[in-house]
C-alpha cells in the first residue's frame, strides 16, 4: 500500500480534500460517465463502420467500457485499484450478458406471440386447420398438458414425499445413503432417456397404445427427484423441538409426522412441487415419443392420442410456414406465462408459509 | 391438557438437527404401534420404489442395447456411421457413436467455456457486488432463465439467434479461420457452435445458483481479515472467496455439464445434423446423443430403436458419472464447511 | 389449532384448482370452421360415415400432409364424430408404427419392401399389408439463387451438385445448360433431409436411375451421400432454402412456394420439363403396376422420353391390411379411404399442388377398399 502523500493532481476527486492516508480516487460518477461515453462511441463506430448487427455495437461498447475504466483508474488510482475496477466492470458486464438473452427471449416471445394470441386461440383446438392456414388454437394442447402434468403429480408427489420423509425422519444406513445418492443422480437423467424407457417398456413390450398417461409416467420419473430434494430440504428446516414436544405428549411418530412436521413444512413443500411442475410442463422430448399428439380435443388421458403444449410448439415450428410460426410463438407465450405464474405463485407461497425456524 | 403418562418421554437430543440414532432405534424398530409400522413401511417402500425405477431404467436400457450390439458389424465406439438398417452394406447393421461422442463433447465444452466465467461473474455479482435490495430480484431473474422450457429456447435459438450469428461467424472466419476450428463456409449458422451458445444460456442458471451458494458460505472472518489488511474488493475475492469456492465451482460446472450433455429438443431444433466429424465448429453438421435419438427415433424400425437405445445407454452412463462426481464433490464440501459456520 | 386451519385452507385451494380445471374442460371447441377461409367443398353430402367414429390414428409420409389436411377438413364436415390424427413423421416411421399395430393405416412414399410385407403378417393376422396409391406429386428441385429466375438442370448435373462435385453456381456444367442465365459465383448449399424420408428415396432413385455413373450411392430413405447440409422434414428443408442464398434442395411441389423457384428438368424429351402437377400425372400414367394380388404398387420410369413427363415424381401409398384390420377402427378407416379415393377426394388434390392418381389405377384402388376387412 502506498502511503505517500498525495498531491491533488488535478483529478476531480481531489476537491473534497483527500485525507493523507487515502490514495487519489476517481469521482463516484465516473463509471456512469464512462458507460454512457463508451455506449455512444460504440454506437458511433457501429454506425460509421456500417455494422448491422446490434450485438456487435454492444460488444464494442462493453469492451470500450472495460478498457477505458481500467486505463483511467490505472493512471489515477494505481494498478491495484485499477484491477479492482476491472473486476467490477467485468462482473457487471457478465451480469448484463446474462440479462440480454433473457430480455431478448421474453421480448421476442411477447412481440411475435401476441399476433395470434387471443380468446379464440385459447379456447379452440387446431381442429381441421391445415398447417399453412391461419387460425386454430391451443385448447387441446392446454388440456393435454394439464392432464399429463396432473397425472405425473399424482404419481410423483406421494412417492417423492414419502421418500423424503423416509430420508429425513427414518433414514439411516445403507439404504438411505443409496436413495440419497440415486435421487441426486436421477435429477440428471436426460428427459429423452426417461421417454425412451417408458416407450419401449409400456408401448413396445406391454403393447399399450400411445396416450397422455404414457407421457405422464415419463414426466413423473423426471419429477420425482425434484420433489424428493425440495421436500427433504424443507423437512430438515422443521425445528426438532416441535417433533420432541409432540412425541413427549405420547403422539405416535407417524401422527407426529403427519400432523406436526408436514403442516409446518407445507409451504416449502408446495413451492417445491410447483417448481417441479413448472419444470416438467415444458418438457418436450418424452411427450414427443409417447403421446402421439392430435389436433382435436381429447379429454381422456387414458385413451388415445392427446395434445401437449410443448409438443404443439415443436410441431408448429416444424411445419415451417408463417402461420405455423405465429402459432408456435403464441403457444410459447402461453407456456412461458403458465410457467412464470407457477414460479411466482410458488415463491409467494414459500414466503407466505415460510417455516419459523425458531431462531 | 392431559399429559399421557404411560409412554415415557423420549430424551431430547441436545443440539442435533435430526433425531439421533438411539432415538431412531427406539421409535422405528421398537415401535409396536401398527400405524408406525405401516407408515415406516410406506415411506421405505417409496424409497425402494425410486431405486427400483432407476434400476429398471438402467437394466432395461442395458438389455435392449445388448440386443442391438450383438448384431452390430461395425465397432460401436469408433464407427463413423449410423446405419442400423444396413442400407449401404447389404442389410448388415453398422453403427457407431464416434460422431455423437465428438458432437456432444464439443458442444458441451463450448457451452461450459462460455457459461462458467459468466456464471461465476453473476454469482459474484449477487453475493458480493450487487446492492442488498437488488440481489434477491436478480437471483430471481436468473431462476427465470432456468424456468424457460427448452422448446422455447429452441424456437428462439432457431428463429431469432441463429440468423444473427452469420456476422459473428464470418468475422471469426476472417480472423481465426486459419486455425481450422473457426472455418465458416457460409450457409445457415446451425452448427455445433450455435448449439454451444444456446446450451451456455440454458446451463447458466444452475452453475450460477450453485456457485452463489458456495460463495455465500465463505466464512465472514476470512473476508473481514482480508479487508482489515487493506485489500480491495477484488483482492478479497481472489484471496478468500475464490479459493474457498473452487470445489463448489467445479461441481457446479459439472452439474451444468450434465444438463448440457442431455439436452434434446433445443439441440434438435437448432442443429443442422450430419453424421460426420468436422474440425470446424462453425460449419453445419455433427450431432449429439440426445438430438440423434430424437431425430431418428420415429423413423427407426425395431432394431434401429435398439441401436438408438444403446446410444441412450451411453448417454445415461456419462450423465450418471458426471452428476455423481459433481454431487460427491459438493457433499464433501458441505461436511467441512459445516465446521466453519 | 392453527395447523388445522392451514390444512383446511390448503384443501380449499386444492378444491378450487380442481374445479377450475374442470370448468376449463367445458369451454373449448374443436370447431375451427369460422376461420377456415372457405376451403371446404360442398362434397360433404356425398361422404358416407357408415359407423365411422372415434379416434383414427395414422402416420407416415410428410409429403401428403397437405393433402391429408384438406381431406380431413372436408371429411370432418360430414363425419363430425371422427378425430383423424395424421402424424407426418415420415414414411419410415409410418410403416414402423403400422407394423407395430399402433396405427390404422400408414402413408408411405415407397411401396412396402418384401420383408416389410412378411412382417405385416403379424399385425394383419395371417393376411398381409397392401399398398394403395392415393396421391401423386412432383418432387420439385427448389433453389434460391438471387437473380436467376429459371434454371435448367439434368440428372447428371443434379447428381454432381448433391454429391459435392459441383461447388459453385457458375460451374461450367450449369452454365452449359443455362446459356442465358447470369449465374453468380456463390457457393452451392445443397440441403437434404436429415430424417428418413420417402422423398429422399424417390429423389435418389431418380438420380441412380437416370445418372448411375454420377450417383454412386445406394438409393434409400436416408441420405447416403457424405456432406451437404440437412434439415428435418420437407418444411424444414423448404425453410432453409428460403433463408439461404445459394441453396438447393428437393421437396414436394406443395412446399415449393413463397419465393422458392423450381428447376426445369432436361429429360429425354426435347424441351426441359417444368415441375407441375400435370407433368407429374403424365409420368405416373407411364408407370407400370408391379404389386402382386391386391397390392397396387407402381414402378416409375425415370428416363421418360415423352414430352412433358416430369420424372422425379413420387406416389404416396396408403398402407392397410388386406384383411384383419383392427376391428374398432375398420369402419372409420374404410369410410375415410373411400372418401379420399372418390372423385371428390381426388379432385381436392390439384388445388393443393398434388397430382390425382390416373383413373384406371384409381378404379382398382376403390375396388380394393370396398373389400377391406
Amino acid at each position: 500500500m502506498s502511503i505517500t502523500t498525495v498531491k491533488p493532481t488535478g483529478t476531480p476527486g481531489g476537491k473534497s480534500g483527500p485525507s493523507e492516508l487515502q490514495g487519489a480516487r476517481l469521482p463516484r460518477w465516473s463509471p456512469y460517465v464512462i458507460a454512457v461515453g463508451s455506449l455512444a462511441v460504440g454506437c458511433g463506430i457501429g454506425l460509421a463502420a456500417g455494422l448491422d448487427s446490434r450485438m456487435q455495437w454492444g460488444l464494442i461498447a462493453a469492451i470500450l467500457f472495460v478498457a477505458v475504466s481500467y486505463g483511467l483508474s490505472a493512471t489515477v488510482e494505481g494498478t491495484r485499484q485499477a484491477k479492482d475496477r476491472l473486476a467490477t466492470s467485468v462482473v457487471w458486464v457478465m451480469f448484463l450478458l446474462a440479462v440480454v438473452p433473457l430480455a431478448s427471449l421474453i421480448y421476442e416471445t411477447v412481440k411475435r406471440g401476441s399476433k395470434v394470441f387471443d380468446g379464440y386461440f385459447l379456447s379452440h383446438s387446431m381442429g381441421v386447420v391445415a398447417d399453412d392456414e391461419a387460425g386454430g388454437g391451443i385448447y387441446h394442447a392446454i388440456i393435454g398438458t394439464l392432464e399429463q402434468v396432473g397425472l405425473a403429480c399424482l404419481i410423483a408427489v406421494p412417492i417423492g414425499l414419502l421418500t423424503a420423509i423416509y430420508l429425513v425422519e427414518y433414514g439411516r444406513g445403507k439404504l438411505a445413503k443409496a436413495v440419497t445418492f440415486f435421487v441426486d443422480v436421477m435429477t440428471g437423467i436426460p428427459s429423452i432417456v426417461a421417454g425412451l424407457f417408458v416407450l419401449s417398456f409400456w408401448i413396445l413390450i406391454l403393447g399399450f397404445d400411445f396416450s397422455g398417461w404414457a407421457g405422464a409416467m415419463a414426466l413423473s420419473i423426471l419429477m420425482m427427484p425434484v420433489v424428493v430434494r425440495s421436500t427433504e430440504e424443507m423437512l430438515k428446516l422443521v425445528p426438532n423441538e416441535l417433533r420432541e414436544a409432540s412425541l413427549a405428549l405420547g403422539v405416535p411418530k407417524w401422527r407426529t409426522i403427519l400432523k406436526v412436521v408436514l403442516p409446518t413444512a407445507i409451504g416449502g413443500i408446495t413451492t417445491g412441487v410447483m417448481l417441479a411442475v413448472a419444470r416438467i410442463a415444458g418438457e418436450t422430448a418424452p411427450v414427443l415419443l409417447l403421446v402421439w399428439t392430435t389436433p382435436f380435443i381429447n379429454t381422456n388421458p387414458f385413451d388415445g392420442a392427446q395434445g401437449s403444449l410443448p409438443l404443439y410448439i415443436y410441431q408448429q415450428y416444424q411445419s415451417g410456414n408463417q402461420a405455423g410460426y405465429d402459432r408456435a410463438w403464441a403457444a410459447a407465450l402461453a407456456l412461458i406465462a403458465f410457467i412464470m405464474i407457477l414460479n411466482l405463485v410458488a415463491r409467494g407461497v414459500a414466503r407466505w408459509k415460510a417455516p419459523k425456524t425458531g431462531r | 391438557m392431559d399429559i399421557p403418562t404411560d409412554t415415557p418421554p423420549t430424551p431430547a437430543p441436545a443440539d442435533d438437527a435430526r433425531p439421533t440414532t438411539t432415538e431412531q432405534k427406539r421409535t422405528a424398530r421398537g415401535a409396536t404401534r401398527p400405524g408406525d409400522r405401516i407408515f415406516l413401511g410406506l415411506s421405505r417402500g417409496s424409497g425402494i420404489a425410486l431405486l427400483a425405477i432407476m434400476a429398471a431404467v438402467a437394466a432395461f436400457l442395458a438389455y435392449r442395447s445388448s440386443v442391438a450390439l450383438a448384431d452390430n458389424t461395425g465397432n460401436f465406439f469408433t464407427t463413423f456411421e449410423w446405419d442400423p438398417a444396413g442400407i449401404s452394406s447389404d442389410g448388415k447393421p453398422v453403427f457407431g457413436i464416434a460422431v455423437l461422442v465428438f458432437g456432444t463433447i464439443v458442444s458441451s465444452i463450448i457451452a461450459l467455456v462460455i457459461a462458467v466465467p459468466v456464471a461465476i461473474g453473476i454469482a459474484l455479482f449477487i453475493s458480493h457486488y450487487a446492492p442488498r435490495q437488488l440481489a434477491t430480484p436478480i437471483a430471481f431473474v436468473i431462476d427465470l432463465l432456468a424456468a424457460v422450457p427448452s422448446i422455447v429456447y429452441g424456437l428462439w435459438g432457431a428463429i431469432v439467434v441463429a440468423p444473427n450469428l452469420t456476422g459473428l461467424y464470418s468475422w471469426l472466419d476472417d480472423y481465426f479461420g486459419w486455425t481450422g476450428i473457426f472455418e465458416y463456409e457460409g450457409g445457415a449458422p446451425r452448427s455445433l457452435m450455435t448449439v454451444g451458445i444456446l446450451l451456455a444460456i440454458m446451463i447458466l442458471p444452475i452453475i450460477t445458483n450453485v456457485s452463489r451458494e458456495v460463495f455465500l458460505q465463505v466464512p465472514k472472518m476470512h473476508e473481514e481479515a482480508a479487508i482489515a489488511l487493506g485489500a480491495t474488493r477484488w483482492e478479497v475475492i481472489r484471496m478468500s472467496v475464490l479459493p474457498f469456492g473452487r470445489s463448489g465451482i467445479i461441481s457446479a460446472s459439472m452439474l451444468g455439464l450434465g444438463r448440457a450433455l442431455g439436452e434434446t429438443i433445443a439441440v434438435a431444433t437448432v442443429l443442422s445434423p450430419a453424421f460426420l466429424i468436422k474440425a470446424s465448429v462453425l460449419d453445419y453438421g455433427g450431432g449429439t446423443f440426445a438430438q440423434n435419438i430424437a431425430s431418428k427415433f420415429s423413423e427407426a424400425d425395431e432394431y434401429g430403436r435398439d441401436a438408438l437405445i444403446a446410444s441412450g445407454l451411453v448417454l445415461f452412463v456419462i450423465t450418471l458419472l458426471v452428476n455423481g462426481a459433481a454431487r460427491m464433490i459438493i457433499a464433501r464440501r458441505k461436511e467441512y464447511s459445516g465446521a466453519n459456520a | 389449532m392453527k395447523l388445522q386451519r392451514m390444512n383446511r385452507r390448503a384443501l380449499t385451494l386444492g378444491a378450487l384448482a380442481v374445479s377450475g380445471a374442470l370448468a376449463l374442460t367445458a369451454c373449448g371447441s374443436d370447431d375451427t370452421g369460422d376461420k377456415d377461409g372457405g376451403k371446404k367443398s360442398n362434397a360433404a353430402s356425398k361422404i358416407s360415415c357408415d359407423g365411422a367414429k372415434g379416434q383414427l390414428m395414422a402416420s407416415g409420409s410428410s409429403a401428403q400432409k397437405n393433402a391429408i389436411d384438406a381431406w380431413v377438413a372436408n371429411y370432418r364436415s360430414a363425419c363430425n364424430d371422427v378425430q383423424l390424427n395424421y402424424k407426418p413423421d415420415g414414411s419410415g416411421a409410418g410403416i414402423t408404427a403400422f407394423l407395430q399395430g399402433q396405427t390404422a393405416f400408414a402413408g408411405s412414399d415407397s411401396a412396402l419392401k418384401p420383408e416389410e410385407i412378411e412382417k405385416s403378417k403379424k399385425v394383419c393376422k395371417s393376411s398381409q399389408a397392401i399398398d394403395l396409391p392415393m396421391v401423386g406429386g412432383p418432387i420439385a428441385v427448389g433453389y434460391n439463387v438471387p437473380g436467376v429466375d429459371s434454371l435448367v438442370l439434368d440428372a447428371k448435373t443434379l447428381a454432381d451438385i448433391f454429391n459435392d462435385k459441383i461447388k459453385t453456381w457458375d460451374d461450367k456444367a450449369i452454365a452449359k445448360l443455362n446459356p442465358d442465365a447470369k449465374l453468380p459465383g456463390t457457393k452451392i448449399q445443397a440441403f437434404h433431409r436429415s430424417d428418413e424420408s420417402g422423398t429422399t428415396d424417390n429423389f435418389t432413385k431418380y438420380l441412380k436411375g437416370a445418372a448411375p455413373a454420377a450417383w454412386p450411392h445406394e438409393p434409400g430413405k436416408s441420405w447416403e451421400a457424405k456432406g451437404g447440409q440437412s434439415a428435418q422434414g420437407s418444411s424444414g428443408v423448404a425453410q432453409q432454402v428460403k433463408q439461404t442464398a445459394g441453396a438447393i434442395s428437393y421437396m414436394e411441389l406443395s412446399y415449393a412456394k413463397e419465393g422458392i423457384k423450381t428447376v426445369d428438368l432436361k429429360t429425354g424429351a426435347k424441351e426441359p420439363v417444368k415441375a407441375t402437377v400435370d407433368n407429374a400425372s403424365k409420368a405416373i400414367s407411364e408407370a407400370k403396376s408391379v404389386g402382386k394380388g391386391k397390392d397396387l404398387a407402381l414402378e416409375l420410369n425415370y428416363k421418360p422420353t415423352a414430352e412433358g413427363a416430369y420424372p422425379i415424381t413420387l406416389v404416396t401409398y396408403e398402407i392397410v391390411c388386406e384383411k384383419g384390420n383392427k376391428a374398432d377402427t375398420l369402419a372409420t378407416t374404410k369410410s375415410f379411404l373411400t372418401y379420399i379415393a372418390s372423385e371428390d377426394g381426388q379432385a381436392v388434390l390439384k388445388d393443393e399442388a398434388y397430382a390425382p392418381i390416373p383413373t384406371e389405377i384409381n378404379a382398382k384402388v376403390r375396388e380394393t377398399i370396398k373389400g377391406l376387412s
Side-chain angles (χ1 to χ4, degrees):
Chain A
M1 267 232 213
S2 69
I3 42 166
T4 48
T5 39
V6 182
K7 288 159 193 108
T9 49
T11 46
K15 267 182 213 158
S16 59
S19 89
E20 297 281 291
L21 287 173
Q22 200 172 14
R25 305 280 296 176
L26 284 173
R28 289 199 157 194
W29 42 262
S30 60
Y32 306 104
V33 174
I34 297 171
V36 172
S38 48
L39 205 62
V41 176
C43 291
I45 293 177
L47 267 180
L51 301 172
D52 38 35
S53 163
R54 296 289 147 84
M55 267 191 240
Q56 283 166 325
W57 296 21
L59 275 178
I60 293 174
I63 292 170
L64 266 179
F65 174 76
V66 172
V68 169
S69 39
Y70 181 79
L72 262 184
S73 172
T75 47
V76 176
E77 300 173 326
T79 40
R80 282 184 58 227
Q81 296 297 335
K83 267 189 198 155
D84 185 43
R85 267 181 205 278
L86 179 71
T88 311
S89 326
V90 168
V91 164
W92 269 94
V93 167
M94 292 299 179
F95 169 66
L96 290 178
L97 262 184
V99 172
V100 167
L102 183 68
S104 154
L105 187 135
I106 289 180
Y107 171 75
E108 295 287 343
T109 312
V110 171
K111 190 184 83 181
R112 296 174 192 233
S114 51
K115 247 188 249 169
V116 293
F117 191 86
D118 54 14
Y120 183 91
F121 187 72
L122 287 177
S123 64
H124 284 71
S125 70
M126 274 308 281
V128 296
V129 177
D131 277 349
D132 51 354
E133 285 177 305
I138 52 169
Y139 181 78
H140 61 299
I142 297 179
I143 294 293
T145 291
L146 285 183
E147 288 184 350
Q148 287 147 26
V149 169
L151 283 173
C153 281
L154 282 186
I155 310 171
V157 170
I159 295 189
L161 268 185
L162 284 169
T163 307
I165 290 174
Y166 173 71
L167 290 179
V168 175
E169 306 290 336
Y170 297 102
R172 289 291 180 277
K174 275 187 190 145
L175 178 64
K177 268 206 180 125
V179 172
T180 315
F181 179 74
F182 279 104
V183 164
D184 282 340
V185 171
M186 211 171 165
T187 47
I189 290 191
S191 55
I192 188 100
V193 170
L196 270 185
F197 168 67
V198 174
L199 184 128
S200 322
F201 186 71
W202 181 255
I203 293 177
L204 296 185
I205 292 193
L206 297 181
F208 289 96
D209 279 336
F210 293 99
S211 64
W213 166 244
M217 284 193 290
L219 292 180
S220 73
I221 293 182
L222 298 173
M223 189 176 175
M224 268 176 225
V226 187
V227 174
V228 175
R229 260 284 93 112
S230 58
T231 309
E232 210 185 332
E233 297 297 322
M234 286 306 130
L235 291 182
K236 279 183 192 161
L237 283 183
V238 174
N240 226 20
E241 289 87 338
L242 285 184
R243 293 191 184 87
E244 287 154 14
S246 170
L247 290 174
L249 292 174
V251 181
K253 182 155 180 155
W254 67 281
R255 280 183 70 89
T256 305
I257 294 170
L258 281 184
K259 294 280 173 183
V260 177
V261 179
L262 278 185
T264 314
I266 191 79
I269 293 173
T270 320
T271 305
V273 169
M274 289 174 96
L275 292 179
V277 166
R279 182 187 159 195
I280 61 165
E283 281 293 351
T284 318
V287 181
L288 176 74
L289 299 180
L290 295 168
V291 305
W292 189 259
T293 186
T294 165
F296 303 107
I297 298 167
N298 175 13
T299 48
N300 183 355
F302 296 97
D303 183 32
Q306 262 200 320
S308 154
L309 208 43
L311 191 52
Y312 177 91
I313 302 174
Y314 188 56
Q315 285 181 325
Q316 292 299 331
Y317 165 72
Q318 287 211 315
S319 77
N321 51 62
Q322 201 49 49
Y325 282 179
D326 287 346
R327 280 191 290 263
W329 282 110
L333 179 60
L335 185 59
I336 287 199
F338 174 66
I339 286 173
M340 294 293 161
I341 290 172
L342 262 181
N343 263 282
L344 285 175
V345 171
R347 270 155 231 276
V349 169
R351 194 165 290 182
W352 174 44
K353 288 268 166 84
K356 318 273 179 293
T357 42
R359 313 231 157 161
Chain B
M1 259 201 248
D2 243 7
I3 297 168
T5 43
D6 49 349
T7 40
T10 27
D15 238 330
D16 201 328
R18 297 183 191 183
T20 58
T21 332
T22 44
E23 182 216 21
Q24 183 61 38
K25 273 182 192 147
R26 198 167 306 172
T27 38
R29 218 164 281 166
T32 44
R33 280 181 266 236
D36 267 340
R37 244 175 287 140
I38 293 172
F39 196 74
L40 174 62
L42 268 180
S43 57
R44 186 184 281 159
S46 302
I48 293 171
L50 215 128
L51 286 185
I53 291 174
M54 276 296 283
V57 173
F60 190 80
L61 292 181
Y63 168 66
R64 301 306 304 181
S65 313
S66 68
V67 172
L69 292 180
D71 288 343
N72 186 8
T73 54
N75 185 320
F76 184 59
F77 292 101
T78 56
T79 307
F80 280 45
E81 247 179 297
W82 194 269
D83 186 12
I87 294 168
S88 51
S89 53
D90 306 323
K92 278 186 206 128
V94 180
F95 58 91
I97 53 171
V99 174
L100 303 178
V101 171
F102 179 79
T104 308
I105 290 179
V106 166
S107 59
S108 304
I109 285 179
I110 295 174
L112 279 186
V113 166
I114 300 173
V116 170
V118 177
I120 293 174
I122 302 170
L124 283 176
F125 183 77
I126 297 173
S127 65
H128 286 82
Y129 281 89
R132 194 56 64 77
Q133 303 98 310
L134 260 182
T136 325
I138 289 169
F140 179 64
V141 166
I142 299 299
D143 282 346
L144 284 190
L145 266 180
V148 175
S150 57
I151 176 66
V152 180
Y153 274 117
L155 188 69
W156 176 71
I159 297 183
V160 180
V161 179
N164 278 321
L165 287 173
T166 334
L168 176 66
Y169 287 5
S170 314
W171 181 82
L172 279 175
D173 181 39
D174 285 348
Y175 292 94
F176 302 99
W178 51 269
T179 53
I181 301 175
F182 293 115
E183 238 170 280
Y184 180 52
E185 294 182 4
R190 291 149 58 89
S191 56
L192 287 178
M193 182 73 177
T194 314
V195 170
I197 293 175
L198 201 63
L199 287 177
I201 299 174
M202 298 178 72
I203 62 175
L204 196 60
I206 188 168
I207 305 184
T208 306
N209 282 344
V210 177
S211 12
R212 183 193 63 192
E213 256 157 49
V214 178
F215 291 160
L216 287 174
Q217 279 178 10
V218 176
K220 268 274 164 297
M221 301 289 272
H222 290 198
E223 287 179 43
E224 280 162 10
I227 292 172
L229 288 173
T232 60
R233 187 152 50 174
W234 166 241
E235 283 158 349
V236 172
I237 288 169
R238 198 169 48 95
M239 294 189 307
S240 67
V241 178
L242 289 184
F244 183 86
R246 195 185 299 130
S247 65
I249 295 172
I250 292 172
S251 65
S253 312
M254 288 175 79
L255 286 179
L257 178 64
R259 241 336 130 70
L261 291 172
E263 179 49 46
T264 311
I265 217 75
V267 181
T269 330
V270 169
L271 188 67
S272 160
F275 219 81
L276 44 92
I277 289 180
K278 280 191 179 180
S280 167
V281 294
L282 299 183
D283 267 333
Y284 61 85
T288 73
F289 280 107
Q291 168 270 329
N292 190 52
I293 297 173
S295 327
K296 296 229 163 101
F297 202 82
S298 61
E299 297 291 337
D301 57 9
E302 207 168 312
Y303 182 77
R305 287 186 173 174
D306 287 345
L308 288 171
I309 288 178
S311 76
L313 178 69
V314 177
L315 175 63
F316 180 69
V317 171
I318 295 178
T319 47
L320 212 116
L321 290 178
V322 169
N323 277 300
R327 295 292 178 183
M328 270 197 276
I329 296 175
I330 289 189
R332 223 186 304 148
R333 140 115 278 129
K334 257 185 201 154
E335 274 157 28
Y336 79 83
S337 77
N340 286 319
Chain C
M1 268 306 138
K2 195 162 170 259
L3 298 178
Q4 296 290 334
R5 218 175 330 122
M6 265 197 316
N7 263 349
R8 208 162 306 148
R9 213 179 312 159
L11 270 182
T12 333
L13 267 180
L16 262 180
V18 170
S19 52
L22 284 178
L24 198 64
T25 53
C27 70
S29 161
D30 273 336
D31 180 21
T32 48
D34 324 359
K35 285 199 173 179
D36 223 344
K39 228 182 178 181
K40 280 175 194 146
S41 70
N42 48 5
S45 53
K46 291 186 199 156
I47 298 171
S48 128
C49 307
D50 240 355
K53 61 175 183 318
Q55 276 204 349
L56 188 63
M57 300 217 272
S59 70
S61 159
S62 59
Q64 63 165 351
K65 170 75 163 101
N66 293 345
I68 294 265
D69 279 351
W71 280 331
V72 169
N74 287 337
Y75 184 73
R76 278 273 292 187
S77 63
C79 311
N80 209 13
D81 291 340
V82 179
Q83 293 193 348
L84 196 130
N85 308 315
Y86 184 78
K87 194 155 105 177
D89 265 353
S91 306
I95 292 176
T96 306
F98 178 76
L99 292 180
Q100 287 168 346
Q102 291 155 357
T103 49
F105 69 89
S108 170
D109 303 329
S110 324
L112 290 166
K113 284 182 269 180
E115 65 264 27
E116 286 166 343
I117 293 182
E118 194 56 39
K119 273 189 201 159
S120 74
K121 287 181 178 156
K122 196 172 123 207
V123 66
C124 295
K125 302 169 195 106
S126 80
S127 177
Q128 63 176 40
I130 50 172
D131 302 293
L132 302 172
M134 203 62 85
V135 188
I139 300 175
V141 180
Y143 66 95
N144 176 358
V145 185
V148 180
D149 289 329
S150 79
L151 189 68
V152 179
L153 295 175
D154 59 11
K156 184 179 174 314
T157 325
L158 266 182
D160 283 344
I161 288 175
F162 279 94
N163 208 16
D164 220 14
K165 291 256 172 58
I166 296 180
K167 289 179 190 293
T168 55
W169 280 105
D170 55 1
D171 193 277
K172 269 183 223 145
I174 304 179
K176 214 172 111 192
L177 288 163
N178 301 278
D180 301 332
K182 273 194 228 106
L183 295 165
T186 338
K187 194 176 161 348
I188 297 180
Q189 310 278 352
F191 283 89
H192 60 82
R193 292 277 295 273
S194 62
D195 47 341
E196 289 188 23
S197 145
T199 320
T200 306
D201 193 24
N202 280 278
F203 183 68
T204 47
K205 265 185 197 152
Y206 165 75
L207 293 179
K208 186 81 183 169
W215 191 253
H217 312 286
E218 281 303 308
K221 284 176 190 162
S222 60
W223 189 253
E224 288 299 315
K226 289 280 173 253
Q229 304 193 53
S230 62
Q232 186 148 16
S234 296
S235 51
V237 169
Q239 190 62 28
Q240 290 309 315
V241 173
K242 226 179 287 174
Q243 284 174 358
T244 316
I248 186 168
S249 185
Y250 53 94
M251 66 202 82
E252 296 78 34
L253 184 60
S254 55
Y255 289 95
K257 53 191 174 190
E258 295 173 28
I260 300 176
K261 284 160 251 160
T262 58
V263 168
D264 300 340
L265 274 190
K266 184 130 182 51
T267 60
K270 269 183 232 140
E271 290 294 314
V273 186
K274 281 201 177 324
T276 64
V277 170
D278 291 330
N279 292 348
S281 281
K282 268 181 211 147
I284 300 175
S285 51
E286 285 202 355
K288 53 180 189 208
S289 189
V290 292
K292 289 184 203 115
K294 294 281 183 198
D295 192 299
L296 295 170
L298 302 173
E299 193 178 277
L300 292 163
N301 175 10
Y302 291 114
K303 286 184 180 170
T305 46
E307 279 313 310
Y310 186 81
I312 325 180
T313 297
L314 65 76
V315 173
T316 307
Y317 304 93
E318 312 306 337
I319 293 170
V320 287
C321 291
E322 187 186 346
K323 292 195 170 57
N325 285 293
K326 277 196 250 175
D328 49 340
T329 51
L330 177 66
T332 321
T333 312
K334 265 175 97 166
S335 157
F336 182 70
L337 291 181
T338 309
Y339 162 64
I340 65 176
S342 72
E343 247 166 71
D344 289 323
Q346 293 284 306
V348 173
L349 291 176
K350 268 199 160 179
D351 302 338
E352 303 285 332
Y354 292 102
I357 296 299
T359 25
E360 322 84 83
I361 307 172
N362 182 244
K364 282 191 217 161
V365 171
R366 283 187 226 173
E367 199 56 39
T368 314
I369 294 174
K370 259 185 214 157
L372 292 180
S373 63

